[in-house]
Amino acid sequence: MDGHWDGYDSIGGSVPLDLVNTVSWRRDPARREDRLSAPGRLSEWVVLVGAGAERLEISEAVLETVKSFRETLYGVLVSDPPEVTALRKALLAAYRHAGLAPSLPLRWTVPLTDGAALPHALALSAEELLRSGDLARIRECEGPGCGWIFTDQTRNRSRRWCSSSDCGNRARAKRHYDKGRG
């Protein structure tokens, strides 16, 4: 990888949240960066976050499908109440391509044998996350313009930023600066 992923961390706590976080500075149009700018970037991301063991051959159509799903998932995560019906089309397609894993509890899976399976595997992974009991722990970074999503694993559910060394550090520096100005 050529440095394209510098500054990107898998901080979401799950593959679906890390997918949403492939857009940096989502809420700041002047700084917004879509890291899934080409099919090869999506293939790199799959390996980077551990969603697949090897690079996949990704078509432009698969890239657009994944990016569309990413934006749908983000909308579900930040809307109140969540607009879950937006996931229906992606989930129905995923189940048409899925099989049951040969174990209990029952679990639908889509093997990542090629790039065409990726949108379906991501949809099932997102459904698994949205069925879990961790939904109350999913937060959006409070950093101005950030928009990254993460699972707050702190005991008292007090995490506010995507990263204490990034948005958290900016907030502390701003508080210090404002305090000095009086």
Side-chain angles (χ1 to χ4, degrees):
M1 293 186 235
D2 60 6
H4 175 77
W5 293 100
D6 291 351
Y8 173 84
D9 290 317
S10 298
I11 59 96
S14 68
V15 169
L17 298 183
D18 287 335
L19 174 65
V20 168
N21 294 342
T22 58
V23 175
S24 297
W25 301 107
R26 179 181 291 278
R27 295 189 175 268
D28 184 349
R31 296 172 70 186
R32 185 181 171 107
E33 178 188 2
D34 185 347
R35 292 183 186 267
L36 299 183
S37 57
R41 300 296 188 202
L42 177 55
S43 185
E44 291 171 357
W45 175 82
V46 168
V47 174
L48 183 69
V49 298
E54 57 189 60
R55 290 186 59 158
L56 299 170
E57 196 64 38
I58 305 286
S59 70
E60 194 68 41
V62 166
L63 173 64
E64 291 308 314
T65 300
V66 168
K67 288 170 69 169
S68 175
F69 178 73
R70 174 190 65 192
E71 297 310 307
T72 300
L73 180 58
Y74 176 75
V76 167
L77 292 168
V78 299
S79 62
D80 189 22
E83 184 53 50
V84 295
T85 57
L87 296 171
R88 180 179 166 78
K89 182 179 175 184
L91 288 172
L92 288 174
Y95 278 112
R96 282 194 294 276
H97 291 86
L100 281 171
S103 63
L104 293 176
L106 290 178
R107 186 165 174 250
W108 292 93
T109 62
V110 175
L112 279 180
T113 55
D114 61 36
L118 183 60
H120 309 303
L122 291 171
L124 290 180
S125 182
E127 182 192 31
E128 190 174 318
L129 171 70
L130 296 173
R131 283 180 183 245
S132 76
D134 288 342
L135 292 178
R137 292 186 172 272
I138 295 176
R139 307 245 194 291
E140 185 173 15
C141 180
E142 292 181 17
C146 181
W148 272 17
I149 306 287
F150 57 87
T151 304
D152 180 359
Q153 297 294 350
T154 61
R155 188 182 315 178
N156 63 356
R157 299 180 183 200
S158 62
R159 183 173 167 190
R160 298 173 56 194
W161 301 292
C162 58
S163 167
S164 62
S165 63
D166 192 354
C167 288
N169 191 48
R170 279 191 243 301
R172 284 188 295 278
K174 183 179 180 334
R175 271 197 318 270
H176 178 74
Y177 176 78
D178 291 346
K179 186 176 178 181
R181 288 186 55 194

